[in-house]
Amino acid sequence: MEHTDTSEHFLYLRIAERLQTQIEKQVLKTGDKLPSVRTLSKEQGVSLTTAFQAYSELEIKGLIEARPKSGYYVRFTPSQFPRLMAKHQHEKPKKVSVESVATLVYQKMRQQGVTKFSLAVPSIDLLPEAKLNKSMIEAIRKHPTSCLEYEDTQGNATLRQQLARHTYSWGGQYTADDIVTTQGCMEALVFCLKAVTQPGDTVAIETPTYFGIFNVLQSLGLKAIEVPVDPATGLDLEYLQKALRTVHIKACLFVTSFNNPTGCDMPPERKKQLVQMLAEKEIPLIEDDIYGEMYFGKARPVPCKAFDTKGLILLCSSMSKSLAPGYRVGWCMPGPFLDKVLHLKLMSTVSSATPTQAAIAHFLETGRYDLHMRNLRKALHTQCLLYTQAIARYFPNDTKVSRPAGGFVLWIEMNEAVDAMELFHEAIEHGVSIAPGHLFSADGRFSHHIRIGFGTTFNDSIDKSLKTLGQLIKKRIQKSPSA
Amino acid sequence: MEHTDTSEHFLYLRIAERLQTQIEKQVLKTGDKLPSVRTLSKEQGVSLTTAFQAYSELEIKGLIEARPKSGYYVRFTPSQFPRLMAKHQHEKPKKVSVESVATLVYQKMRQQGVTKFSLAVPSIDLLPEAKLNKSMIEAIRKHPTSCLEYEDTQGNATLRQQLARHTYSWGGQYTADDIVTTQGCMEALVFCLKAVTQPGDTVAIETPTYFGIFNVLQSLGLKAIEVPVDPATGLDLEYLQKALRTVHIKACLFVTSFNNPTGCDMPPERKKQLVQMLAEKEIPLIEDDIYGEMYFGKARPVPCKAFDTKGLILLCSSMSKSLAPGYRVGWCMPGPFLDKVLHLKLMSTVSSATPTQAAIAHFLETGRYDLHMRNLRKALHTQCLLYTQAIARYFPNDTKVSRPAGGFVLWIEMNEAVDAMELFHEAIEHGVSIAPGHLFSADGRFSHHIRIGFGTTFNDSIDKSLKTLGQLIKKRIQKSPSA
């Protein structure tokens, strides 16, 4: 019943998706004329309304445009960008720090009126403000002690139950007992790292990767070895295999779905291969799954945790990217390390706040979360395409842009003449904040890269800021000695 | 105007307080007859109603009793207990752990129907449930983004402003910029300890002290040296002075006002002396002020921070004991170590939850907090007296009981024949949970002590549980070989 309903209702979406695939595969190229609404309707055996809706959908995503009295035309083909490649660089484990850059970038960003491309969060208009407020009010009202008492160290029971249920979406069979709630994903990462390492140990991480991960490693006295990520296929498993032979790696910490900044979704068979490779050496993997729910495709990517047979995968996630950054509600599923994690939590922060956990539990329980996520995913996918198109319009032709399969960010490689840090300083003067590539590796290998967050709804001001950025990049290339 | 109003209104309280002092100083002893209401009214030049109110106040606190057709009699003199002394024991810095005992005590406590004397928190009926809910609702509604966005790393600005204002009550002159909010007081302690020590360092702590402090030290790889606390005069400064000469103490962590478990308030001149002593050696003091607001006397005790001239005192506190344990809102005022603390917070949990901070800020802003605290202090003082009296009634005569000047707990020394751990196990079988002295020092020096929390409103069930406990203690003494 539900299936039929969905099919009828989303028929136009299925047609739009097929057309989108053709555009992405360059079967349809920029400038190509599309069949008229009437022709499409006949060809596909659907109503005129459905055919029109399909084109509207593609128009919203900026993939096609309606030209008055002429019809629909393909506007944009993402693969016009040269392919982004992984940056290899052989190295030894090292202490890592990108602190000073991070502090600088995030201080400057606070200035009034700055366009914050440096952020990787959804803007407030994409979040279900009123409905989450309702959940908070209902949660504190129906709670036996209005959320005033200390919460269980393991976390709010209803929330853990809801989160456990939610793992069904990727085939997980977990219960509330398998989950420990935390203060955001960061605290989950800290507990899991502490559970499987000692200060001085080496942890394998991705490169490029989220600079918060460098901070956490640094604060725990851990060394890092950076494993390259290919924007298309994910983690370089051959590189990792070699590193495992030569370096004593105590644990891995990878963002396996929609790595930040590449947005790459590692194919399931490669995830499986990774799990097997680590299982052979009994090396725990801390899997940061914070972006897993923000997929643009049809189904949620399956995390490595799903392939875990030896209890070596400690999955960490949070609601900070999908629902409520300010609520600081995260969790982990540490498998056999659960008692250790619980103990670490008891020893450091005792328990997490009750009202925020109870509110999110209520939001999940009532089905509000599923509805919200459907809207958010759609909005993010559209924004991703609109930002990409603006970049294609304004940035030099040799720019390479990632094609994320989910998440919040675009990873951009510029001409070698452009230093991202210098561009950052100049852009801030023009009211535009970007995240320079220097933030995403401890050895500066991404000095010509920038990360652009597309969490803010695309509008004229965003368009203008991207135009400004493109002009600044072009000017820098023209000025360079080799030009 | 306000002053006059208060004087008129609280005249009966002032009379009750004077009588209470006389009872406590044994000018008035158990069984003494008090002047009649009429006589009191004449003597004090107050109305009959005021005189009657004064006696009612003392009756509520269990200090006097009305005997029908006879008048009022002194019912109880706290000082009938032998004096509790500090336990000295010379020692070297050591790694500390009371973990296994703590886990056992708090697991057993969870059983259904257990009277939880082992807790040191206010029971829910002493907390302003409905009013805090209102503050939460108003806070999220009036917040520009409904508290959904990441909070500033330093903490909610309104909350910090309100907390800074609140330091006026002990003569503090601080601003919002001096405060960093945290996830409860525990996280504040962790950040402050990390800011001033390295793993392997030695930290001076009190003995007896709250076992959570052992957990924190252990998790940070710190060693401890235990400085005895005299239940009457506080920290043994001479002992500390000696220790400072022989041991390399990197920092101190003391609960200077209403130490848990002794409830002792260190006199201001001794606090001043402590600050000077540490200033000479430039040793930072992390001052855990979590109980400072829960005073039974007329004014809030002044923390060591008030005497700080060298920027060596890092004050930590929270709302977990006074307002909302489940909100996990704490803070610290780390003086010149603020940047370090901020940095540590950014590196581990990024920021604290917004809704809980905003709700408490609103609760403070509207003056609801001051009103609540007046009620809470009065209720706790009354409960303290009622619990003490029941203990005097049911426990053996050689029992020594602390006379806390604030806080939530009584510290009880039993006959040497009674082992607190054995008593704990037997009491749990009878549905009564106590905190054995083994929890409050890492070397077992308090094996005949127990801590009784009086956070739960006194009633028949509490009375019965204390009676049971008294009987169990008496039986153990009778059974002992020396009896």
Side-chain angles (χ1 to χ4, degrees):
Chain A
M1 182 64 204
E2 200 193 351
H3 184 71
T4 322
D5 183 30
T6 312
S7 321
E8 293 282 328
H9 192 67
F10 292 116
L11 190 53
Y12 78 95
L13 278 181
R14 293 220 311 279
I15 295 169
E17 269 164 23
R18 278 203 298 272
L19 286 166
Q20 184 174 332
T21 309
Q22 286 189 294
I23 294 170
E24 279 170 358
K25 287 189 174 161
Q26 301 206 53
V27 179
L28 292 166
K29 287 184 192 165
T30 313
D32 282 358
K33 191 172 190 298
L34 292 160
S36 69
V37 171
R38 188 167 303 272
T39 313
L40 184 68
S41 135
K42 272 190 195 158
E43 271 179 16
Q44 301 289 329
V46 297
S47 68
L48 281 173
T49 315
T50 302
F52 179 74
Q53 279 180 317
Y55 278 161
S56 297
E57 179 68 19
L58 293 172
E59 217 184 341
I60 291 168
K61 289 185 177 173
L63 291 171
I64 65 172
E65 58 188 345
R67 293 186 193 160
K69 296 181 189 172
S70 171
Y72 288 93
Y73 289 82
V74 176
R75 187 176 168 192
F76 172 74
T77 322
S79 52
Q80 69 192 77
F81 291 117
R83 183 160 136 57
L84 250 171
M85 302 288 280
K87 287 253 163 176
H88 286 73
Q89 195 158 313
H90 284 273
E91 51 153 354
K92 287 190 178 163
K94 59 179 181 251
K95 291 195 176 177
V96 287
S97 176
V98 292
E99 253 185 272
S100 50
V101 185
T103 309
L104 179 76
V105 171
Y106 290 89
Q107 263 169 6
K108 292 268 183 190
M109 188 192 72
R110 284 202 203 166
Q111 292 165 15
Q112 277 285 318
V114 165
T115 307
K116 295 175 181 121
F117 292 138
S118 46
L119 283 186
V121 287
S123 65
I124 196 77
D125 56 302
L126 295 180
L127 299 177
E129 211 178 328
K131 281 187 184 163
L132 188 55
N133 278 0
K134 266 194 188 168
S135 279
M136 172 64 91
I137 294 166
E138 288 171 59
I140 56 175
R141 281 197 179 143
K142 84 172 188 185
H143 192 279
T145 66
S146 299
C147 303
L148 286 191
E149 289 191 329
Y150 278 120
E151 189 53 91
D152 184 34
T153 298
Q154 190 160 354
N156 181 275
T158 319
L159 177 61
R160 287 186 287 118
Q161 208 178 343
Q162 288 299 321
L163 293 172
R165 264 193 200 181
H166 219 78
T167 63
Y168 294 173
S169 69
W170 48 265
Q173 297 272 359
Y174 295 93
T175 73
D177 295 339
D178 299 311
I179 296 172
V180 181
T181 69
T182 55
Q183 192 183 13
C185 191
M186 281 284 270
E187 198 184 54
L189 295 179
V190 169
F191 290 153
C192 288
L193 278 168
K194 282 184 101 168
V196 300
T197 64
Q198 294 290 327
D201 284 347
T202 296
V203 175
I205 59 172
E206 291 149 307
T207 186
T209 201
Y210 167 55
F211 50 88
I213 288 173
F214 294 114
N215 288 349
V216 171
L217 295 187
Q218 197 192 343
S219 75
L220 298 178
L222 295 165
K223 284 182 283 188
I225 185 149
E226 300 186 12
V227 181
V229 169
D230 184 293
T233 56
L235 199 71
D236 186 334
L237 294 179
E238 294 63 38
Y239 188 102
L240 178 63
Q241 188 70 278
K242 247 185 243 167
L244 286 173
R245 263 184 245 122
T246 53
V247 182
H248 181 59
I249 293 174
K250 196 65 182 292
C252 298
L253 196 176
F254 299 141
V255 185
T256 53
S257 300
F258 318 130
N259 159 282
N260 173 2
T262 64
C264 156
D265 182 27
M266 205 170 161
E269 62 278 12
R270 288 180 67 81
K271 283 184 179 163
K272 210 167 177 173
Q273 207 182 329
L274 169 64
V275 174
Q276 281 165 354
M277 192 187 286
L278 297 176
E280 273 168 33
K281 302 225 166 198
E282 305 223 349
I283 296 172
L285 164 63
I286 296 158
E287 185 172 31
D288 181 344
D289 189 45
I290 196 169
Y291 299 105
E293 294 279 319
M294 265 70 70
Y295 52 93
F296 301 158
K298 284 181 193 167
R300 192 204 192 290
V302 172
C304 285
K305 180 86 177 171
F307 307 116
D308 188 22
T309 53
K310 278 198 151 180
L312 285 167
I313 317 288
L314 299 84
L315 186 124
C316 299
S317 193
S318 85
M319 289 290 175
S320 304
K321 301 297 178 188
S322 55
L323 180 57
Y327 274 46
R328 307 303 291 123
V329 171
W331 65 91
C332 57
M333 300 174 58
F337 302 96
L338 188 131
D339 282 341
K340 255 189 166 168
V341 166
L342 261 183
H343 182 230
L344 286 161
K345 184 173 175 185
L346 187 67
M347 304 270 275
S348 70
T349 50
V350 191
S351 64
S352 310
T354 317
T356 40
Q357 290 189 71
I360 289 182
H362 186 271
F363 197 81
L364 283 159
E365 236 180 342
T366 50
R368 286 174 183 163
Y369 182 73
D370 291 324
L371 179 64
H372 158 64
M373 286 310 293
R374 279 200 292 275
N375 295 332
L376 178 66
R377 278 176 210 125
K378 209 171 148 181
L380 286 176
H381 192 183
T382 302
Q383 284 172 210
C384 175
L385 292 166
L386 294 173
Y387 274 66
T388 308
Q389 288 158 51
I391 289 167
R393 212 172 311 142
Y394 300 128
F395 282 34
N397 287 334
D398 60 357
T399 310
K400 294 171 192 166
V401 185
S402 64
R403 277 179 261 155
F408 290 93
V409 297
L410 291 166
W411 182 235
I412 296 170
E413 183 177 347
M414 304 173 295
N415 185 297
E416 295 220 339
V418 187
D419 179 85
M421 212 57 228
E422 288 172 13
L423 179 66
F424 164 78
H425 285 291
E426 200 179 356
I428 268 288
E429 298 302 311
H430 288 78
V432 180
S433 160
I434 53 170
H438 301 76
L439 277 173
F440 302 94
S441 163
D443 58 22
R445 73 178 80 178
F446 301 108
S447 55
H448 312 301
H449 289 68
I450 57 171
R451 189 192 74 179
I452 297 281
F454 51 78
T456 306
T457 310
F458 192 85
N459 56 27
D460 286 350
S461 153
I462 296 287
D463 189 73
K464 208 176 135 237
S465 295
L466 288 172
K467 191 174 181 179
T468 305
L469 207 53
Q471 285 167 342
L472 294 176
I473 296 169
K474 283 178 183 163
K475 248 201 305 184
R476 293 204 152 254
I477 296 172
Q478 280 157 14
K479 269 195 217 159
S480 80
S482 60
Chain B
M1 183 63 204
E2 201 194 351
H3 181 70
T4 322
D5 183 30
T6 311
S7 319
E8 293 281 328
H9 193 66
F10 291 116
L11 190 52
Y12 78 93
L13 278 182
R14 294 220 310 277
I15 296 169
E17 270 165 20
R18 278 203 297 273
L19 285 167
Q20 184 173 332
T21 310
Q22 287 190 291
I23 294 170
E24 280 171 356
K25 287 188 174 162
Q26 301 206 52
V27 178
L28 291 167
K29 288 182 192 165
T30 313
D32 280 358
K33 192 173 190 298
L34 293 159
S36 69
V37 172
R38 188 168 301 271
T39 312
L40 184 69
S41 136
K42 273 191 194 155
E43 270 179 19
Q44 302 288 328
V46 298
S47 69
L48 280 172
T49 316
T50 303
F52 179 74
Q53 279 179 318
Y55 279 162
S56 297
E57 180 69 16
L58 293 171
E59 217 184 340
I60 291 166
K61 287 185 178 172
L63 291 171
I64 64 170
E65 58 187 347
R67 294 187 193 160
K69 296 183 190 172
S70 170
Y72 287 93
Y73 289 82
V74 176
R75 189 177 166 189
F76 172 74
T77 323
S79 53
Q80 67 192 81
F81 291 118
R83 185 160 135 58
L84 250 170
M85 302 288 282
K87 287 253 163 179
H88 286 73
Q89 195 160 312
H90 283 274
E91 51 151 358
K92 288 189 177 161
K94 56 178 183 258
K95 292 199 176 171
V96 288
S97 176
V98 293
E99 253 186 274
S100 51
V101 185
T103 309
L104 179 76
V105 171
Y106 290 90
Q107 263 170 6
K108 292 271 182 184
M109 190 193 70
R110 285 204 202 164
Q111 293 166 13
Q112 277 284 318
V114 166
T115 307
K116 294 176 183 124
F117 292 138
S118 44
L119 284 185
V121 288
S123 65
I124 197 76
D125 55 304
L126 295 180
L127 299 176
E129 210 178 328
K131 281 186 184 163
L132 188 56
N133 277 1
K134 267 193 189 168
S135 279
M136 172 63 91
I137 294 166
E138 287 170 60
I140 57 177
R141 281 197 179 141
K142 84 173 188 185
H143 192 279
T145 66
S146 299
C147 303
L148 286 192
E149 288 190 331
Y150 278 118
E151 189 52 89
D152 185 32
T153 298
Q154 190 161 354
N156 181 276
T158 319
L159 177 61
R160 287 186 288 117
Q161 208 178 342
Q162 287 298 322
L163 292 172
R165 267 192 197 182
H166 219 78
T167 63
Y168 294 173
S169 69
W170 48 264
Q173 298 272 0
Y174 296 93
T175 73
D177 295 340
D178 299 310
I179 296 172
V180 182
T181 68
T182 55
Q183 193 184 11
C185 191
M186 282 283 272
E187 199 184 57
L189 295 179
V190 169
F191 290 154
C192 289
L193 278 168
K194 282 184 100 168
V196 300
T197 64
Q198 294 290 327
D201 284 347
T202 296
V203 175
I205 59 172
E206 292 150 305
T207 185
T209 201
Y210 167 55
F211 50 86
I213 288 174
F214 295 113
N215 288 349
V216 170
L217 295 187
Q218 197 193 343
S219 76
L220 299 177
L222 294 165
K223 283 181 284 187
I225 185 150
E226 300 187 12
V227 181
V229 169
D230 184 293
T233 56
L235 200 73
D236 187 333
L237 294 180
E238 295 64 40
Y239 188 102
L240 177 63
Q241 188 70 279
K242 246 185 247 171
L244 286 173
R245 264 185 246 124
T246 53
V247 181
H248 182 60
I249 293 174
K250 197 64 182 294
C252 298
L253 195 178
F254 299 141
V255 185
T256 53
S257 298
F258 318 129
N259 157 283
N260 173 1
T262 65
C264 158
D265 181 28
M266 209 170 156
E269 63 278 13
R270 287 180 68 82
K271 281 183 180 162
K272 211 167 177 176
Q273 207 183 326
L274 170 64
V275 173
Q276 282 164 354
M277 192 186 286
L278 296 176
E280 274 168 32
K281 303 224 167 198
E282 304 221 350
I283 297 172
L285 164 63
I286 296 157
E287 185 173 30
D288 181 345
D289 190 45
I290 195 170
Y291 300 104
E293 294 279 320
M294 265 71 70
Y295 53 94
F296 301 158
K298 283 178 193 169
R300 192 204 193 291
V302 172
C304 286
K305 180 88 177 168
F307 306 115
D308 188 22
T309 53
K310 280 199 150 178
L312 286 168
I313 317 286
L314 300 85
L315 186 123
C316 299
S317 193
S318 85
M319 288 290 175
S320 304
K321 301 296 179 187
S322 55
L323 180 57
Y327 275 46
R328 308 301 293 123
V329 170
W331 64 91
C332 57
M333 299 173 57
F337 302 97
L338 190 131
D339 282 343
K340 255 188 166 173
V341 166
L342 261 184
H343 181 231
L344 286 162
K345 185 174 175 183
L346 186 68
M347 304 269 274
S348 69
T349 50
V350 191
S351 64
S352 311
T354 317
T356 40
Q357 291 188 72
I360 289 182
H362 186 273
F363 197 80
L364 283 159
E365 237 180 342
T366 51
R368 286 174 182 164
Y369 182 72
D370 292 324
L371 179 65
H372 159 63
M373 286 309 292
R374 279 202 291 277
N375 295 333
L376 179 64
R377 280 177 210 125
K378 210 171 144 180
L380 286 176
H381 191 183
T382 302
Q383 285 172 208
C384 176
L385 292 166
L386 292 173
Y387 275 67
T388 308
Q389 287 159 51
I391 289 166
R393 212 171 313 143
Y394 300 129
F395 282 36
N397 287 334
D398 59 355
T399 310
K400 295 172 191 162
V401 186
S402 64
R403 276 179 262 156
F408 289 93
V409 296
L410 291 167
W411 181 234
I412 296 170
E413 184 179 347
M414 304 174 293
N415 184 295
E416 295 221 337
V418 187
D419 179 84
M421 212 55 227
E422 288 173 13
L423 179 66
F424 163 78
H425 285 292
E426 200 180 355
I428 269 287
E429 297 300 314
H430 288 79
V432 180
S433 159
I434 52 171
H438 301 75
L439 278 173
F440 302 94
S441 164
D443 59 22
R445 72 177 82 176
F446 300 107
S447 57
H448 312 302
H449 289 68
I450 57 172
R451 189 191 74 177
I452 298 281
F454 53 78
T456 306
T457 311
F458 193 86
N459 57 26
D460 286 351
S461 151
I462 298 287
D463 190 71
K464 208 175 137 238
S465 295
L466 289 172
K467 191 173 180 180
T468 305
L469 208 53
Q471 286 167 342
L472 294 175
I473 297 169
K474 283 179 184 165
K475 249 202 301 184
R476 292 200 155 258
I477 297 173
Q478 281 158 11
K479 270 196 217 160
S480 80
S482 59

